[in-house]
Amino acid sequence: MHQDAHEFLNFLLNELVDILEKEDQAAKKEGGTSSPSEKTVNGPKNHQANGVQKEPLVTWVHKNFQGILTNETRCLRCETVTARDEAFFDLSLDIEQNSSITSCLKNFSSTETLNAEDKFFCDKCCSLQEAQKRMKIKKPPHILVIHLKRFKYIEQLGRYKKLSYRVVFPLELKLSNTVEDADSEYSLFAVVVHVGSGPNHGHYVSLVKSHNHWLFFDDENVEMIDESAVQTFFGSAQEYSSNTDHGYILFYESLCANKS
């Protein structure tokens, strides 16, 4: 049974939020109150037991990992744009052979046409219409977590297959096409690597940058590696390769956060 690192990351972040919210509620019952600055409208919606909605708590998890996506749909008949915001802790990107994080992000934000059976119901036209849809990053997070979708279900095989594609992830990443800030710059500081040829077995190791040095973590073994070694985890240029160590989850830190 494959234990997926991305699923564990989502579980961990959401579990931390639940724990922090329970601690906050317990503190309020003891007479303590949180400051208005600790509230936000962009966190996950919480409801009290009696059904009354309350403002969600902004935890350090939200402050560091949460960004906002906006889903824009434009009716091709009346040109009305419908925008819907949603919060995210990480971005899951489809990958292609011999590509880069930049190209994966461009594909993620590319325009999709909705037609035929996928027509969009336009409230202004009051009917199904052809439309164009795209996803944009409205508010980039302080820590950008990128999950590379290396496990794909292949219908012909009837099972999941690991994609060993070579996907270049740079040490410095610039986010373009965002709503709030056209130039959001990030620096890579950690990589979770999947070691193995298939989705049902394997091993995870990680690379972490600490005090300007890269460290390689493999269970209880920790060693210092050269920065240039990071590129050996980009993936394989050919489908069948002896190299099965592939970058799976990438952690980027905002350079703006460091400057402020």
Side-chain angles (χ1 to χ4, degrees):
M1 181 69 181
H2 172 63
Q3 305 298 319
D4 188 78
H6 178 241
E7 290 179 359
F8 177 72
L9 174 66
N10 283 325
F11 166 79
L12 178 62
L13 293 177
N14 284 295
E15 187 71 10
L16 284 170
V17 169
D18 287 343
I19 291 170
L20 293 168
E21 286 177 344
K22 287 175 183 176
E23 288 181 350
D24 179 71
Q25 289 171 9
K28 286 178 181 177
K29 285 181 180 179
E30 293 175 6
T33 56
S34 59
S35 65
S37 62
E38 291 294 300
K39 303 292 181 182
T40 186
V41 296
N42 292 324
K45 288 185 172 63
N46 292 318
H47 297 271
Q48 294 176 340
N50 60 7
V52 178
Q53 186 173 327
K54 62 177 181 177
E55 286 187 77
L57 177 75
V58 176
T59 68
W60 59 264
V61 177
H62 295 102
K63 289 179 180 177
N64 284 293
F65 291 94
Q66 183 172 276
I68 305 294
L69 288 172
T70 184
N71 193 336
E72 294 182 350
T73 306
R74 182 169 64 90
C75 175
L76 294 180
R77 181 186 177 188
C78 68
E79 300 293 324
T80 299
V81 176
T82 304
R84 178 172 54 85
D85 290 352
E86 60 183 84
F88 70 94
F89 280 156
D90 68 274
L91 292 179
S92 290
L93 302 182
D94 290 310
I95 60 174
E96 297 177 348
Q97 178 61 286
N98 295 321
S99 59
S100 67
I101 292 299
T102 303
S103 64
C104 291
L105 284 167
K106 283 182 180 177
N107 289 337
F108 179 80
S109 298
S110 63
T111 301
E112 174 190 0
T113 300
L114 305 176
N115 52 26
E117 295 179 356
D118 297 324
K119 284 184 178 180
F120 169 72
F121 186 86
C122 176
D123 289 334
K124 189 171 183 179
C125 298
C126 294
S127 60
L128 291 171
Q129 297 293 334
E130 291 190 351
Q132 287 185 332
K133 173 183 174 184
R134 69 170 177 171
M135 190 84 77
K136 291 174 69 175
I137 299 174
K138 182 176 182 178
K139 181 183 178 184
H142 288 305
I143 295 177
L144 175 65
V145 181
I146 295 177
H147 161 234
L148 302 180
K149 295 164 76 170
R150 287 200 176 274
F151 302 110
K152 183 178 182 180
Y153 186 78
I154 308 297
E155 289 189 9
Q156 297 92 322
L157 301 176
R159 59 179 172 84
Y160 281 89
K161 176 186 178 183
K162 181 182 178 183
L163 304 178
S164 60
Y165 297 162
R166 177 180 169 85
V167 181
V168 176
F169 45 90
L171 296 174
E172 304 294 329
L173 177 68
K174 185 175 289 188
L175 273 189
S176 57
N177 202 27
T178 61
V179 177
E180 289 196 354
D181 190 350
D183 274 341
S184 297
E185 296 183 354
Y186 287 85
S187 177
L188 184 72
F189 73 91
V191 182
V192 174
V193 176
H194 180 268
V195 181
S197 57
N200 298 318
H201 55 82
H203 180 58
Y204 288 107
V205 298
S206 58
L207 319 173
V208 179
K209 188 176 184 180
S210 176
H211 301 287
N212 291 320
H213 294 289
W214 279 94
L215 301 174
F216 178 82
F217 290 81
D218 184 356
D219 291 339
E220 72 276 10
N221 300 316
V222 182
E223 60 181 274
M224 194 176 294
I225 60 171
D226 191 81
E227 186 174 77
S228 60
V230 174
Q231 61 187 302
T232 63
F233 301 96
F234 287 167
S236 311
Q238 293 82 31
E239 184 175 355
Y240 299 102
S241 170
S242 58
N243 175 24
T244 63
D245 304 2
H246 309 121
Y248 184 47
I249 307 175
L250 315 174
F251 294 81
Y252 282 92
E253 184 177 21
S254 172
L255 292 176
C256 297
N258 293 335
K259 292 172 184 176
S260 60

